[in-house]
Amino acid sequence: MMALALIALTSCSDDNDVDLSNRKFVRIDQSSVYLTVGEKIKVTATVDEIAGDSYKLLWSVLDANVATAENMDGNAASITAVAAGKTIIKVETEGGNLMYFADLTVTEGEKSVKVLSIGSGMANDATSSYLNDIAKDAGISLVMGNIYMEGASLEDHIRNITDNQSVYQYSRIAVDGSLTAQSGQSLKGIIKGENWDYIVFEESLAMAGISEGYQAHLPQLLELVSGFATNPDVKYLLHQPWAYAKSATEEGFANYDKDQLKMYNAIIEAVWTAKESAQIELVIPAGTTIQNGRTSYIGENMLKDAFHLNADVAKFATACAWFETLFGQTEVTYSPNNLINYDTKLAKQAAHAAITDSKRVTVLEEYIDSPTRVYIDFGPIDSPAPFNNYRFPNDPGLVNMMDDKGQATTLGIAVDKMFTGTLERGLDNGLGFPKTASEDMFFCDGIFIPVSGFKVSGLTKGERYTFTFYGHINDGGTQTEYHVIGKNEGVSCLVNDYNMDRVAAVKGIEPNDDGTIYIEMQPGPDNVQWARFYGVNAMVIMAEGY
């Protein structure tokens, strides 16, 4: 629109004379700028290569009621949005011989907090499942971006910036929770692409406890990233990685003599030393959160393999740690539907203890013993203990089911509303269940049987229970609704498509006076599968007293 590089081209005697052959110009690098009220952004200018270093640039906004400009070092200015409207950003050389313009649009609306992590994938693991939901529950609009390359070190990031390599995965979760995933991205492009409030660095897991790597590379990486960041008030943080699983065979574990606690202590020393030497604002103590969780009954199951977080408790715990660090709030009120209350509280305590005592492991004494659960596997392929095997829908049902500690209970289960039958699809899972629990199931084609279900008996009057459901099918468009009915009732839905680790939970259900509850299953509201498939592979029952 009004991006005019030169204000006079017609007369060599004009006061604003510009001779292109002498390369005399000034140009704003951003042709259009969009802000919300209260937001700040750094804009930069490029000047001619011959005499540019001698220019003193002056910045202004034509309508100061819409935004203001403040000169910064190095041909840059900080623009602050004041009120909704459209105006022009202007940069000029002292004396007004050269000038340039850029459009500025300011809109009303809630300013979102924008966070970007740069790392090897651990921050993505820690934030991708729950952080935006926690923020939304607290009334905070959050944009979470993670740019990463598996196993990348701080040194790798420097090299990739210097060589302008487009080798990164980029995951962005918008305020509404929608996910955008892209491959082949560059650090420079993603950093400059949004006005990030926080930029978080993490070292690769193998190098996470080696101080020399931070000291050698973090200052240079910080300087490079600062040159691309557009927010003049951006804050820089460090993400503290967690130690490998004790059983890890990864080469990097040898850096710590394959000793988990030795690795954890080395990470603590390296990360907090780097924070002080590089003058980093804050550390997100995800590693301490996981180490705290390992003192509970979950133990090494905080990870699903050598270094990836398990899908539920660990990911929720690290998301809580991120939230408390970023927003300074001491209580996470959000509780995910797929976690029992016991595990929700465990995760929150692991995170909060890490915030209050970041450099030391806190033993979660209240959660050393596991809650008593009753596991049920549906389908003809038997699973080992602690599962109770309900093989076919026309079987008489189960009584005195065993709990996960091998003790007989009063609980029983029987089909109350018919199923189409069973399926055996040989599918695995990422929940830690044996494959036998996920490769077979009870199912229905909803076009023929719109509702199926169970009667559960032997529950304790006055107690409240959580019912957790898992279903897995190698198909598309499926969804199952689980409706649990006692003195009160609750509903939860689960997409069954290629489901490695999602579960649905209905919490706080009180049985009828005779100790019974009823479970009704049907196609979920988003089920678009041609036969309206729905089903269940496994179920877990747990009293909520824990």
Side-chain angles (χ1 to χ4, degrees):
M1 122 327 131
M2 291 188 66
L4 304 176
L6 307 170
I7 62 171
L9 296 173
T10 59
S11 170
C12 292
S13 61
D14 195 309
D15 288 341
N16 293 319
D17 172 36
V18 177
D19 182 350
L20 290 178
S21 66
N22 289 333
R23 304 172 63 86
K24 296 184 182 299
F25 66 85
V26 58
R27 180 174 62 242
I28 298 177
D29 296 329
Q30 301 97 322
S31 60
S32 298
V33 177
Y34 299 89
L35 299 174
T36 57
V37 174
E39 189 175 3
K40 290 184 179 181
I41 193 170
K42 180 176 73 174
V43 293
T44 55
T46 300
V47 297
D48 66 81
E49 298 176 3
I50 296 176
D53 289 343
S54 65
Y55 292 150
K56 180 178 181 180
L57 300 183
L58 304 176
W59 294 82
S60 60
V61 174
L62 297 190
D63 187 347
N65 293 317
V66 173
T68 60
E70 180 181 353
N71 280 27
M72 299 176 65
D73 294 335
N75 296 344
S78 173
I79 307 298
T80 302
V82 177
K86 293 184 178 182
T87 186
I88 302 296
I89 300 170
K90 177 184 177 182
V91 63
E92 60 185 322
T93 56
E94 192 172 37
N97 289 335
L98 302 172
M99 62 183 67
Y100 202 87
F101 303 90
D103 292 315
L104 173 62
T105 302
V106 178
T107 57
E108 293 282 3
E110 182 179 8
K111 181 186 179 301
S112 59
V113 178
K114 297 183 177 182
V115 183
L116 176 68
S117 77
I118 299 171
S120 61
M122 288 177 288
N124 184 65
D125 206 15
T127 61
S128 59
S129 296
Y130 297 104
L131 182 57
N132 282 65
D133 290 330
I134 295 171
K136 182 179 179 181
D137 181 75
I140 297 170
S141 296
L142 175 66
V143 173
M144 184 69 222
N146 291 291
I147 183 167
Y148 59 96
M149 186 173 72
E150 288 288 345
S153 66
L154 298 177
E155 184 178 12
D156 291 328
H157 299 316
I158 293 171
R159 182 167 52 252
N160 291 333
I161 290 176
T162 303
D163 296 341
N164 198 26
Q165 294 293 309
S166 299
V167 293
Y168 288 88
Q169 301 292 320
Y170 177 55
S171 172
R172 181 186 187 275
I173 304 176
V175 172
D176 63 3
S178 60
L179 171 66
T180 301
Q182 299 172 306
S183 59
Q185 300 300 301
S186 71
L187 281 172
K188 179 180 178 181
I190 296 302
I191 295 167
K192 290 176 70 72
E194 293 206 48
N195 199 27
W196 303 106
D197 296 287
Y198 297 92
I199 296 179
V200 185
F201 301 103
E202 71 179 11
E203 179 62 284
S204 67
L205 188 52
M207 298 289 293
I210 300 177
S211 289
E212 290 78 7
Y214 293 92
Q215 303 307 315
H217 305 299
L218 183 58
Q220 184 181 356
L221 180 60
L222 185 59
E223 182 179 2
L224 289 170
V225 170
S226 298
F228 302 139
T230 61
N231 189 337
D233 294 332
V234 62
K235 292 181 173 60
Y236 295 100
L237 282 68
L238 278 173
H239 185 224
Q240 177 214 358
W242 44 87
Y244 283 114
K246 290 180 178 178
S247 60
T249 58
E250 274 64 17
E251 184 177 341
F253 201 17
N255 293 335
Y256 314 95
D257 300 325
K258 296 188 179 295
D259 184 321
Q260 184 186 91
L261 191 57
K262 182 176 181 179
M263 182 178 183
Y264 166 76
N265 287 325
I267 292 171
I268 291 293
E269 176 67 24
V271 169
W272 265 268
T273 299
K275 173 188 181 295
E276 297 304 321
S277 62
Q279 297 184 332
I280 295 290
E281 187 88 12
L282 294 166
V283 172
I284 301 168
T288 298
T289 298
I290 295 304
Q291 207 65 32
N292 290 346
R294 284 168 164 157
T295 69
S296 74
Y297 82 94
I298 297 176
E300 286 300 286
N301 289 325
M302 288 296 284
L303 304 187
K304 67 179 181 180
D305 54 25
F307 56 89
H308 291 102
L309 300 176
N310 80 26
D312 298 321
V313 178
K315 287 192 174 184
F316 181 60
T318 52
C320 289
W322 273 73
F323 178 79
E324 286 199 42
T325 303
L326 290 171
F327 302 110
Q329 300 193 20
T330 59
E331 182 180 1
V332 173
T333 58
Y334 175 76
S335 296
N337 288 331
N338 63 330
L339 287 183
I340 59 175
N341 288 347
Y342 186 83
D343 287 347
T344 297
K345 293 175 182 178
L346 185 163
K348 291 179 180 181
Q349 184 168 324
H352 186 63
I355 297 295
T356 57
D357 198 351
S358 301
K359 302 178 186 179
R360 186 180 68 86
V361 179
T362 300
V363 177
L364 304 184
E365 296 180 354
E366 296 178 44
Y367 301 95
I368 291 175
D369 292 328
S370 65
T372 299
R373 296 177 168 96
V374 173
Y375 291 82
I376 307 163
D377 174 21
F378 300 99
I381 304 173
D382 284 352
S383 289
F387 281 93
N388 298 270
N389 292 285
Y390 198 161
R391 303 187 73 239
F392 295 100
N394 57 358
D395 285 351
L398 306 176
V399 296
N400 299 122
M401 291 189 289
M402 305 295 287
D403 65 24
D404 61 334
K405 296 177 174 61
Q407 302 297 314
T409 71
T410 59
L411 271 62
I413 187 170
V415 169
D416 179 64
K417 293 181 173 64
M418 67 180 295
F419 287 79
T420 299
T422 63
L423 282 180
E424 301 173 45
R425 291 291 177 90
L427 303 174
D428 210 338
N429 70 87
L431 289 168
F433 290 169
K435 184 177 180 181
T436 51
S438 56
E439 62 183 335
D440 59 345
M441 70 187 315
F442 286 10
F443 87 102
C444 285
D445 286 331
I447 57 175
F448 300 113
I449 301 178
V451 180
S452 62
F454 303 99
K455 175 183 177 180
V456 179
S457 58
L459 301 166
T460 302
K461 179 180 177 181
E463 182 65 270
R464 289 182 179 268
Y465 292 83
T466 290
F467 297 81
T468 304
F469 303 92
Y470 174 68
H472 189 180
I473 189 69
N474 52 343
D475 207 332
T478 72
Q479 186 190 52
T480 302
E481 177 182 291
Y482 304 97
H483 186 189
V484 185
I485 307 163
K487 280 193 170 181
N488 58 340
E489 56 190 87
V491 174
S492 187
C493 293
L494 179 68
V495 174
N496 305 94
D497 304 351
Y498 299 95
N499 178 17
M500 289 293 292
D501 53 22
R502 298 183 302 275
V503 297
V506 178
K507 304 178 183 180
I509 302 301
E510 184 178 348
N512 299 310
D513 288 342
D514 62 356
T516 61
I517 66 94
Y518 294 86
I519 299 170
E520 292 184 349
M521 298 167 49
Q522 63 184 21
D526 296 324
N527 189 315
V528 294
Q529 200 262 353
W530 70 272
R532 303 272 286 164
F533 167 92
Y534 63 96
V536 62
N537 293 68
M539 181 171 72
V540 184
I541 304 172
M542 194 196 78
E544 288 195 346
Y546 292 94

